[in-house]
Amino acid sequence: MLSGLMNFLRACLWPRSDRYVHSNSDTNGRQDGLLWYKDHGQHVNGEFSMAVVQANNLLEDQSQLESGSLSTHESGPFGTFVGVYDGHGGPETARFINDHLFQHLKRFTSEQQSMSVDVIRKAYQATEEGFLSLVTKQWPMNPQIAAVGSCCLVGVICGGILYIANLGDSRAVLGRVVKATGEVLSIQLSAEHNACIESVRQELHSMHPDDSQIVVLKHNVWRVKGLIQVSRSIGDVYLKKAEFNREPLYAKFRLREPFRKPILSADPSISVHQLQPHDQFVIFASDGLWEHLSNQEAVDIVQGHPRTGSARRLVKAALQEAAKKREMRYSDLKKIDRGVRRHFHDDITVIVVFLDTNLVSRASSVKCSNISVRGGGVSLPPNTLAPCTTPTEAGST
Amino acid sequence: MISPKKLIKIARKWHRLAALKRKRISLPRSVMEADNMRQDVSPKVEKGHFVFYTADQKRLALPLSYLNSHIFRELLEMSEEEFGLPSNGPITLPCDAAFIEYAVSLINRRVDKEMEKALAISITSSSRCSLSYYHQEQSNQQLLCSC
């Protein structure tokens, strides 16, 4: 009774408080220099662990774990949503996705009364459209917003099914036990859209048969139009709509010839997996992790240690590898300031979601309380907030 | 932006300073020896240092504090422009060891921020610290003689 009243008052005084749990200081994770981590948490289908290390002057990686109702109704369906958004050109798009994608997903789930590939696809589309209208609005004041974009990796666990959707080069990897040997195998669940992959280059060539320069090798790295490594993203409006590829956008982003059809796509690759008892965990991470660890190395690290702190352990392993490549000590690498740090490694986000067989297989109608955690925590100093960050409409109904 | 007149004045001043006492950087012995002692692990470097390679293939190590200087930040930016961010190896700065020596001597003399900035601007406005030693030498000369 009293707690109900308190909740009501809290909801009135602090409308966003329902999105973050405030029961103790550890709930929103801990900060240690440029590293943020939440070693242990409980989602609807098991445990989880999150860690983020910043390298850019402004953190370009954003991430979230939402567990509980996946619709705007309290009646569910219930499950877990994981998002990893690796921004480029600035933090604005990744932040926008963090604030809007899950709200759209909840809205479409409510409309269709269930989770589906179609719901996820629509949520991506609505987010892309939302960001486009933000760019349109801000273009006169801040034209460089047209050259900001983000990769977008999403995992949804609902009713014993795991949906994986992806744009760009973040990656989701499943750890699956082989019964006979007890080994844990890594299985990559996400398709990637980076021009370093032959099939991605072929796709670009087939979609732009008249443009021999659609992908260009620059600094030994394949880039779409010599500008960007990923072929699909949210944002990057300057490569999707010709009207934003003009002055006063910086010359380096402007193409010599106008284009008629979008060069980059925002259509996610979505796969559906029926979870099985031997599926142990899923590692979701931005490419900052995968450039230093193979899928199997990452899975072995998670499997070989206690669940608590798994994500932080993976980040540490990646940083140790980065230090080795730069021929320096890990302890010294950690002392380098954000900004300069980008020359030593990328922003890295890791979310490890453990799958508890009993909890995964239970019906998506079994009610549970909502959990919401944002990678990097929520206490950003005001000066790091982009001017374009729009307030989240609670519930977005 | 700094005016050309002021830039020339500053450049003169630092040229004088540099000519006065051109001390060589004493690189930590352990760094130079590290390559010979190379084991399975990557070469170790003295604690508190970062490692980079120069365009003329020298492996150098400097204390981490140098990463805070305008000159090194500028050189890192130029390295990214020139070579991209290396994903599998060490950092290469787009200038030769002699230039680094010069930059270090300036930083060691605690030249003020203005002068560091001016040098950084000169680097970018001069012939972009081209890859070959020969060109680099030329651009260094330009840098020193333009005043």
Side-chain angles (χ1 to χ4, degrees), chain A residues 219 223 252 291-292 323-333 335-338 340 342-344, chain B residues 42-43 45 47-49 51 53 59 64 73 76-77 80-91:
Chain A
H219 305 313
R223 287 171 189 269
K252 63 176 174 180
E291 72 174 320
H292 298 302
K324 208 194 262 179
K325 286 174 186 167
R326 295 290 192 262
E327 302 182 7
M328 65 190 301
R329 286 158 195 257
Y330 165 68
S331 57
D332 286 330
L333 179 81
K335 291 178 194 154
I336 300 171
D337 269 352
R338 68 197 167 117
V340 179
R342 181 63 187 91
H343 296 273
F344 295 80
Chain B
S42 66
V45 66
K47 202 173 170 190
H49 286 60
V51 171
Y53 287 73
R59 179 180 188 268
L64 291 172
R73 285 182 182 219
L76 284 170
E77 292 300 315
E80 187 181 348
E81 284 278 311
E82 192 93 31
F83 315 117
L85 290 166
S87 60
N88 270 316
I91 290 169

Side-chain angles (χ1 to χ4, degrees), chain A residues 76-142:
Chain A
F78 296 91
T80 298
F81 172 97
V82 176
V84 173
Y85 320 121
D86 176 1
H88 45 255
E92 291 87 349
T93 315
R95 288 179 183 169
F96 184 89
I97 302 171
N98 218 5
D99 285 340
H100 294 86
L101 177 61
F102 182 59
Q103 308 303 327
H104 286 306
L105 181 114
K106 287 206 290 190
R107 189 160 53 84
F108 290 119
T109 310
S110 307
E111 276 175 26
Q112 306 198 0
Q113 296 177 342
S114 68
M115 181 55 62
S116 67
V117 168
D118 189 47
V119 162
I120 297 172
R121 199 176 294 284
K122 282 194 165 124
Y124 268 75
Q125 205 180 338
T127 308
E128 169 79 350
E129 282 163 11
F131 191 72
L132 172 63
S133 51
L134 181 93
V135 173
T136 310
K137 207 163 64 187
Q138 291 202 357
W139 169 262
M141 296 290 290
N142 176 23

